[in-house]
Amino acid sequence: MATLLIRNARLLVTMDAQRREIAGGGVFARDNVIESVGPSAELPAHADVIIDARDQVVFPGLVNTHHHMYQSLTRVVRPAQDCELFRWLRTLYPIWARLTPEMARISTQTAMAELLLSGCTTSSDHLYLFPNGVRLDDTLEAAQDVGMRFHAARGAMSVGESAGGLPPDSVVEDEAAILKDSQRVIERWHDPRRLAMQRIVVAPCSPFSVSRELMRDAALLAREHGVSLHTHLAENDFDIDYTREKFNCTPAEYAEQLGWVGPDVWHAHCVKLDASGIALFARTGTGVAHCPGSNMRLASGIAPIRAMRDSGVPVSIAVDGCASNDSGHMLGELRLALLLQRVGAGMARGPAHGPGAMTARDALEMATLGGARVLGRDDIGALGVGMAADIVSVGLNQIGLAGAGHDPLAALLFCHVPRVTHSVV
Ligand code: ZN
């Protein structure tokens, strides 16, 4: 496709610097890059593909910053339905140890289809098990077939049960091999250019499954190659206890000691990030992937997102893997983020609580501009000249949105949107 014109939107939500919301607006793109945005009458009249969006809300493609796509094949596993994180993991590790390359491909495509149908056009994926010949390449090839913009995080586990870690020894890797393969996939796949479709992230799994040495060396490797760093941090109370007992510090202190803070780092969950951790993340521009559905499912708690945002921490929204959310529905996750933060933010009473703790526009900002910032991108997350033409629309003529015309943008989050109408990458 050379040119694309989307016009006459009921509402065009730009997420640009002025946060323009344009009734009757549209977007014109050439060769996958946006050339103009504005009232439809001001756009070119012709294009190779024209979408008339008169009954639709049009907005920037959402950015999902944390997922384990391989888990799409292990939703609702019965013995793991009612567990907290550690017991949930111990139940599922032996099942995941049977992952094959074909399963990695199919689960990636399943997860991506689910994301695209729910408004997400860019996703990260954190794959940290490589049994039976599975390679990160299996997921990257699957992403190419689907056509989704993809940040593949080369995860890893190296400390098994016999060394005091959580995972069974059968699913951990040798640390030198992890670093070597991470370097290989960076050299093979990482595209640092603007509008890149595929990037690589270095991503040891969590404090309870890798060593301090691997964390430190992974950060050095990532910075040598200019790629981002990602891991799990401060997910629940047991996670905090483990870090305290094993490393005699808080998760935020652990991250700081090992070079895991900065604008090129983002951490998943951070449910239990304390006040000094929030200040550290704000000061260093360290990002957070907020996963409300998974945090509820595993009873991890409510991440202090309002406090993080008030302090200036870059926060994004993510569905997390389908074994702890069971639904990789991105708009649904925004809805959970909106509602959960109002219940309470896990901190002392104050502005972090209550109906004003999160608005629909806050949540949309986190999932667009927030996600772009956390992934280190300036070319997605808003509809503007020179941005990637990653555009989503939702038709308002469906039963679940009946009567919601008062605020079509807020309707995307307050109402339940089963599927989007268009996802353009
Ligand atoms: Zn996760």
Side-chain angles (χ1 to χ4, degrees):
M1 173 198 319
T3 54
L4 167 70
L5 174 64
I6 300 175
R7 63 185 177 196
N8 304 325
R10 171 73 178 274
L11 186 71
L12 179 86
V13 180
T14 65
M15 298 309 294
D16 65 9
Q18 294 80 42
R19 299 291 189 277
R20 283 183 302 158
E21 296 173 14
I22 306 169
V27 180
F28 180 82
R30 185 186 307 276
D31 295 332
N32 306 317
V33 181
I34 294 173
E35 260 187 18
S36 47
V37 176
S40 295
E42 296 174 10
L43 301 175
H46 303 286
D48 298 312
V49 174
I50 297 177
I51 295 174
D52 187 283
R54 65 186 60 244
D55 296 320
Q56 298 167 27
V57 189
V58 177
F59 53 101
L62 305 175
V63 181
N64 175 50
T65 57
H66 187 66
H67 207 323
H68 308 290
M69 294 186 179
Y70 75 90
Q71 293 178 7
S72 300
L73 304 181
T74 54
R75 299 188 216 238
V76 296
V77 170
R78 193 143 189 193
Q81 282 179 17
D82 309 313
C83 307
E84 61 73 42
L85 176 67
F86 281 18
R87 197 154 72 81
W88 173 86
L89 281 169
R90 285 199 185 95
T91 305
L92 289 165
Y93 283 136
I95 299 172
W96 295 336
R98 289 148 59 194
L99 187 74
T100 66
E102 185 192 21
M103 292 177 196
R105 277 195 297 278
I106 289 170
S107 57
T108 300
Q109 295 190 338
T110 302
M112 288 185 170
E114 190 177 16
L115 287 170
L116 287 161
L117 289 166
S118 61
C120 176
T121 53
T122 298
S123 185
S124 183
D125 182 44
H126 191 185
L127 179 60
Y128 51 84
L129 293 127
F130 298 89
N132 311 311
V134 170
R135 302 167 311 145
L136 196 69
D137 311 61
D138 300 320
T139 66
L140 285 146
E141 285 162 9
Q144 280 184 325
D145 290 344
V146 174
M148 187 170 210
R149 210 175 293 280
F150 188 41
H151 286 224
R154 204 301 182 184
M157 300 196 292
S158 64
V159 179
E161 268 173 331
S162 65
L166 196 74
D169 292 356
S170 61
V171 292
V172 304
E173 297 176 90
D174 170 72
E175 296 195 347
I178 290 165
L179 291 165
K180 192 169 169 217
D181 190 58
S182 300
Q183 176 157 356
R184 179 189 68 80
V185 292
I186 292 168
E187 289 168 355
R188 165 75 180 81
W189 292 97
H190 183 70
D191 182 355
R193 294 170 297 180
R194 214 163 172 277
L195 306 170
M197 288 298 290
Q198 302 203 303
R199 288 195 182 155
I200 299 296
V201 179
V202 175
C205 188
S206 61
F208 49 83
S209 60
V210 302
S211 71
R212 292 176 61 96
E213 291 70 30
L214 182 64
M215 291 295 284
R216 186 197 58 212
D217 292 347
L220 294 173
L221 176 75
R223 292 194 170 116
E224 186 185 323
H225 292 274
V227 305
S228 300
L229 286 159
H230 179 53
T231 192
H232 294 91
L233 202 77
E235 185 163 348
N236 74 3
D237 288 329
F238 295 106
D239 191 5
I240 302 289
D241 292 347
Y242 184 96
T243 307
R244 174 64 64 193
E245 281 161 26
K246 193 95 171 179
F247 309 119
N248 194 31
C249 60
T250 67
E253 289 164 353
Y254 175 79
E256 186 176 29
Q257 288 165 14
L258 299 170
W260 277 73
V261 291
D264 55 348
V265 183
W266 86 103
H267 296 278
H269 302 297
C270 298
V271 174
K272 300 292 178 179
L273 196 67
D274 58 12
S276 65
I278 291 173
L280 171 70
F281 278 33
R283 198 164 63 242
T284 54
T286 307
V288 169
H290 175 41
C291 308
S294 172
N295 296 160
M296 284 191 269
R297 208 288 204 169
L298 298 173
S300 300
I302 303 172
I305 298 305
R306 171 64 194 261
M308 291 181 193
R309 280 171 57 81
D310 287 348
S311 303
V313 176
V315 184
S316 58
I317 296 179
V319 298
D320 202 3
C322 279
S324 69
N325 182 334
D326 310 277
S327 168
H329 191 295
M330 192 64 189
L331 272 174
E333 204 65 24
L334 272 60
R335 184 169 192 264
L336 295 180
L338 168 72
L339 299 177
L340 181 62
Q341 203 58 202
R342 295 175 171 209
V343 177
M347 298 185 81
R349 284 193 178 279
H353 284 273
M358 178 84 63
T359 68
R361 284 164 176 81
D362 289 340
L364 187 64
E365 181 181 273
M366 288 162 60
T368 52
L369 296 170
R373 180 172 173 196
V374 159
L375 293 186
R377 301 191 70 126
D378 64 1
D379 54 354
I380 57 173
L383 302 180
V385 176
M387 302 292 281
D390 290 1
I391 306 166
V392 174
S393 76
V394 168
L396 291 165
N397 286 345
Q398 49 180 310
I399 193 70
L401 297 173
H406 315 285
D407 186 346
L409 183 159
L412 299 173
L413 290 93
F414 279 95
C415 305
H416 170 63
V417 177
R419 282 190 183 175
V420 303
T421 305
H422 296 288
S423 270
V424 178
V425 184

